[in-house]
Amino acid sequence: MNPTIEVLRKHRSIRKYQPIALPEEHIDAIIESAQMASTSSNVQAYTIIGVTDPAKKQELARLAGNQAYIEQCGLFLVFCADLHRLKEATELHGETFHQNTESFLVATVDATLAAQNAAVAAESLGYGICYIGGIRNNPQDVSVLLQLPQLTYPVFGMCVGVPDQEPSSRPRLPRHAVYHSDAYDKEKVTLGTQQYDDTMHEYYKERTNGKTLTTWSKGITDKYAKPGRGHIRPFLEGRGFRLE
């Protein structure tokens, strides 16, 4: 099999790490790989903060919901959408920087593309990774801790380190539920959800020795039956983003 595809297919979220620091050459390789990700019009509207300081990792773990693996991993990366740099570049030429929802999306997507490149690079080097969306639980405190300027925000974090566990791969939705030819097929989505519910019911049953009997759609219901992180928009507006 193509080695790149093999790395991608072996992805698992790692939530337990050995206390081993990453060598600088590996950090360089991961960040250089992140920088080679596609970016809209070459704006490169993201910044990556690498955190190795134990005290800062401990505080980030607390702010993200007491996720201990942030403290354990050899390197914690925080991927930030960054319009601050673009504003500075525009003002170098005496112009006013204009931004709106589109530029906000561009920065968020740029950060995400860079992060996935970093994840694949890290896994190709034998490390485990875990995305940390919990960084948005307390985004203002995270911004203060990392000294982020206006027009930046932490999109998510990523643990990187030497794995100290071998979790099984979690099944994904059937291909026909996510890949459609020429047009969106709602019937295939419905069928795919039903099939995936059966798959995940068996997965949870086996993984927990029968203690958890649930489905994917039930988990989605529990997550989205009520609003989540309602503080995000006021936070973003306070950071100077214009969502219009």
Side-chain angles (χ1 to χ4, degrees), residues 9 32 43 49 62 78 97 184 189 195 204 223 225 244:
R9 287 183 171 179
E32 287 172 7
V43 297
I49 310 291
R62 185 186 70 81
V78 180
F97 179 67
Y184 198 104
V189 170
Q195 293 174 336
Y204 290 128
K223 183 175 179 63
E244 58 184 30

Side-chain angles (χ1 to χ4, degrees), residues 21-33:
L22 276 65
E24 284 298 322
E25 59 266 28
H26 284 182
I27 296 176
D28 289 344
I30 291 168
I31 301 306
E32 287 172 7
S33 297

Side-chain angles (χ1 to χ4, degrees), residues 192-209:
T193 296
Q194 293 169 348
Q195 293 174 336
Y196 193 49
D197 272 351
D198 292 339
T199 298
M200 292 305 291
H201 181 272
E202 292 303 312
Y203 170 78
Y204 290 128
K205 180 180 178 181
E206 180 179 344
R207 184 179 180 182
T208 65
N209 293 319

Side-chain angles (χ1 to χ4, degrees), residues 1-11 120 123-124:
M1 184 185 294
N2 177 298
T4 302
I5 294 176
E6 187 173 2
V7 168
L8 291 168
R9 287 183 171 179
K10 287 183 177 180
H11 167 73
V120 175
E123 290 179 332
S124 76

Side-chain angles (χ1 to χ4, degrees), residues 23 29 119 131 159 190-191 212:
Y131 280 95
C159 295
T190 300
L191 176 61
T212 300

